[in-house]
Amino acid sequence: MLRTFDIVLIVVMTAAATVTYTIKHQAENKLEEVRKLEAEIKLEEDTIDLLRADWALLSQPNRLEKLVTVYQQDLQLTPTASTQLARPEELPMLKADLPPPEDVLEVMGMAKGKPKKPLAKTDNIATGSVAR
């Protein structure tokens, strides 16, 4: 009796050790993935910082003024007059804000004062999903 119980306990302990080792190994793999992703994120953040610094350097007014004078003949740039600037309320409407034309409203049955016309004849097939 005692030997059988000892063997069962040894098997249970071995199984528990195996499960524990497997879980530990999976956790280490996940931790390695997290560290790799954090390194990639850090690299991207450093790249963004570098690009912002580069943009700040390239868009300095003194540098742009020198470029304008150098390429004046080729580009024929002229200063913008204050009358050429537009306020937002002066801009045209977006296409999404335009009212739809009347023929579209008629097809949709939404025209004012006109009855709704059916788009097409419907069949008489009963599907059971909609009460008729």
Side-chain angles (χ1 to χ4, degrees), residues 80-100:
T80 304
S82 62
T83 57
Q84 291 178 313
L85 301 178
R87 292 187 304 273
E89 56 270 5
E90 295 173 335
L91 296 175
M93 255 199 265
L94 295 173
K95 286 186 180 180
D97 296 338
L98 288 174

Side-chain angles (χ1 to χ4, degrees), residues 17-68:
T18 304
V19 169
T20 303
Y21 176 75
T22 305
I23 292 172
K24 179 184 176 226
H25 185 65
Q26 289 173 351
E28 288 175 350
N29 287 344
K30 292 294 180 186
L31 183 62
E32 185 178 331
E33 275 185 55
V34 167
R35 287 185 180 148
K36 196 179 295 185
L37 288 173
E38 285 175 346
E40 288 178 16
I41 290 170
K42 177 70 173 140
L43 178 66
E44 292 296 324
E45 288 174 347
D46 290 345
T47 303
I48 289 170
D49 289 341
L50 181 65
L51 289 172
R52 283 186 179 148
D54 194 30
W55 177 255
L57 181 69
L58 292 175
S59 63
Q60 287 180 346
N62 293 337
R63 179 183 175 276
L64 294 176
E65 189 175 336
K66 288 177 188 175
L67 289 174
V68 166

Side-chain angles (χ1 to χ4, degrees), residues 66-78:
K66 288 177 188 175
L67 289 174
V68 166
T69 56
V70 168
Y71 295 106
Q72 181 66 35
Q73 287 293 89
D74 297 333
L75 299 176
Q76 299 176 352
L77 298 174
T78 58

Side-chain angles (χ1 to χ4, degrees), residues 101-125:
E102 284 298 319
D103 57 343
V104 173
L105 291 175
E106 284 179 29
V107 170
M108 293 172 48
M110 297 171 55
K112 294 180 182 177
K114 296 184 181 178
K116 181 177 178 180
K117 297 178 186 175
L119 295 177
K121 292 185 178 180
T122 58
D123 56 15
N124 293 326
I125 299 173

